[in-house]
Amino acid sequence: MEKNLDSKRIHIAQKIYVIFSLLYACCLIVQVFFAGLAIFVNPANWEKHLFFVHLFGMYIPLFMLILSFVGKMPRWAIGESAGFIGLIFAMYFTANITQVNAYAAAAHPVVAIVLISVSFMNVAKGWRFVFTGDRKSIPQEK
């Protein structure tokens, strides 16, 4: 009975991990849209861009990191969740260094591209791992 509850807890945590992964990818796309609004429509939209990242930027990856442990996810899930946190720190750093080093600040959209790319790969791997049971196409730890 206890093993069954533990198995159920693990599977639920894995499903929630994938949901958060998908939510994070969607939030990143919305964040890029807000940046586009600020650049091409009205600079006042930078407030939306700034406000929105505070809603999801650190919290979702932190929850994903916790869920990756609770759900006994593979190392790639733990590493990518921690990587999201590191990349968000890089985003804050590059956004706030403009006055000191404009070239470093120019890396902000590059880091965003990396963050979005890793996010979509995380969604795909998580979906295959949790919902299709396809563990062969996902790199395994040795």
Side-chain angles (χ1 to χ4, degrees), residues 10 47 57 90 109 120:
I10 289 168
E47 290 299 319
F120 277 97

Side-chain angles (χ1 to χ4, degrees), residues 55-94:
L55 294 178
F56 77 92
M58 272 306 171
Y59 300 113
I60 294 176
L62 185 59
F63 289 135
M64 287 172 62
L65 184 60
I66 292 166
L67 287 165
S68 66
F69 284 107
V70 173
K72 298 186 179 185
M73 298 285 287
R75 286 186 198 156
W76 61 261
I78 296 166
E80 289 177 10
S81 299
F84 291 141
I85 294 169
L87 286 168
I88 285 294
F89 274 118
M91 292 296 289
Y92 278 107
F93 176 78
T94 58

Side-chain angles (χ1 to χ4, degrees), residues 31-68:
Q31 187 68 349
V32 170
F33 177 73
F34 286 149
L37 284 177
I39 293 167
F40 298 109
V41 178
N42 185 342
N45 286 305
W46 283 123
E47 290 299 319
K48 291 177 184 173
H49 181 75
L50 182 63
F51 174 76
F52 190 61
V53 74
H54 294 307
L55 294 178
F56 77 92
M58 272 306 171
Y59 300 113
I60 294 176
L62 185 59
F63 289 135
M64 287 172 62
L65 184 60
I66 292 166
L67 287 165
S68 66

Side-chain angles (χ1 to χ4, degrees), residues 14-26:
Q14 290 175 348
K15 284 182 177 181
I16 295 171
Y17 176 92
V18 173
I19 291 168
F20 273 124
S21 179
L22 185 58
L23 178 65
Y24 195 62
C26 291

Side-chain angles (χ1 to χ4, degrees), residues 11 42 49 62 65 76 96 100 106 108 116 125 128-129:
H11 196 63
N42 185 342
H49 181 75
L62 185 59
L65 184 60
W76 61 261
N96 292 303
V100 178
H108 188 77
I116 290 168
K125 286 192 287 189
R128 283 194 314 265
F129 181 82

